[in-house]
Amino acid sequence: AQTVTQSQPEMSVQEAETVTLSCTYDTSESDYYLFWYKQPPSRQMILVIRQEAYKQQNATENRFSVNFQKAAKSFSLKISDSQLGDAAMYFCAYRSRSSGDKLTFGTGTRLAVRP
Amino acid sequence: NAGVTQTPKFRVLKTGQSMTLLCAQDMNHEYMYWYRQDPGMGLRLIHYSVGEGTTAKGEVPDGYNVSRLKKQNFLLGLESAAPSQTSVYFCASRIPVGGSSEQFFGPGTRLTVL
């Protein structure tokens, strides 16, 4: 079974600085997809960024980028120029074609942004 | 376009009572999902549906039933609530186009079972 591990329960960053959130996963599949979701205090789950495993190029969405290391099964999220509105829980998630369309989530990292 | 909506937003039950959570989406999505979120455990899949009239078990299906009689609605039922079912429940939906297509989530329902 696939597992997703987020080893940092909490992180803190100074406003305008850069922070990296870690995620590792365990799979024997070669065709899969990885996601980062943000959950602010409102509880709404918001997709931040996604990565297809067959793509070597790291995904980027404005201030958010990933470092996808397929051989190491690592998928970290980098937030540049951190803003107060980035404070939230961040979840890493995995989906593969053979997993029956199921998303497997990590346990989350709570990010605090210091003004 | 309301997206994914959930009814109710909050509910308190006594042990043994039953209830149904309603999820509705207006995006014509084929796939729908029910998750529960517990502290320190992320989101776990309860049941899901890949189309009207179909349902399948997820990671933690025990104690729950679901129905998908209409494409836009996905119901989650608790027949005899237990304190272990105290959680926040999320519904989600997506179109089955490519494995990277986004799941859209509802705002969640906080359920407390006393």
Side-chain angles (χ1 to χ4, degrees), chain B residues 13-105:
Chain B
L13 290 178
K14 295 181 180 179
T15 297
Q17 287 185 319
S18 63
M19 77 162 294
T20 300
L21 305 182
L22 170 64
C23 175
Q25 51 94 5
D26 60 2
M27 298 174 284
N28 202 36
H29 287 174
E30 288 290 336
Y31 291 8
M32 297 187 74
Y33 311 81
W34 275 108
Y35 294 89
R36 60 177 289 173
Q37 182 179 26
D38 301 298
M41 299 192 72
L43 276 75
R44 293 181 293 167
L45 184 64
I46 305 171
H47 286 280
Y48 65 104
S49 169
V50 298
E52 182 178 322
T54 72
T55 62
K57 294 181 179 180
E59 182 184 354
V60 287
D62 295 341
Y64 305 95
N65 56 75
V66 289
S67 63
R68 184 97 181 270
L69 298 180
K70 294 182 179 180
K71 184 178 183 178
Q72 64 267 33
N73 294 338
F74 194 29
L75 279 63
L76 178 71
L78 287 73
E79 291 186 350
S80 180
S84 61
Q85 294 177 306
T86 293
S87 189
V88 179
Y89 292 85
F90 287 94
C91 178
S93 71
R94 80 176 185 105
I95 53 172
V97 177
S100 65
S101 68
E102 179 181 354
Q103 279 193 12
F104 292 85
F105 285 82

Side-chain angles (χ1 to χ4, degrees), chain A residues 54-85:
Chain A
Y54 64 85
K55 290 186 177 179
Q56 293 186 339
Q57 186 172 4
N58 289 325
T60 299
E61 290 286 346
N62 300 314
R63 297 183 295 107
F64 299 87
S65 62
V66 299
N67 183 3
F68 174 49
Q69 301 289 329
K70 191 172 184 178
K73 297 179 183 176
S74 171
F75 182 60
S76 60
L77 175 69
K78 186 172 81 171
I79 306 174
S80 303
D81 186 25
S82 297
Q83 300 176 359
L84 294 178

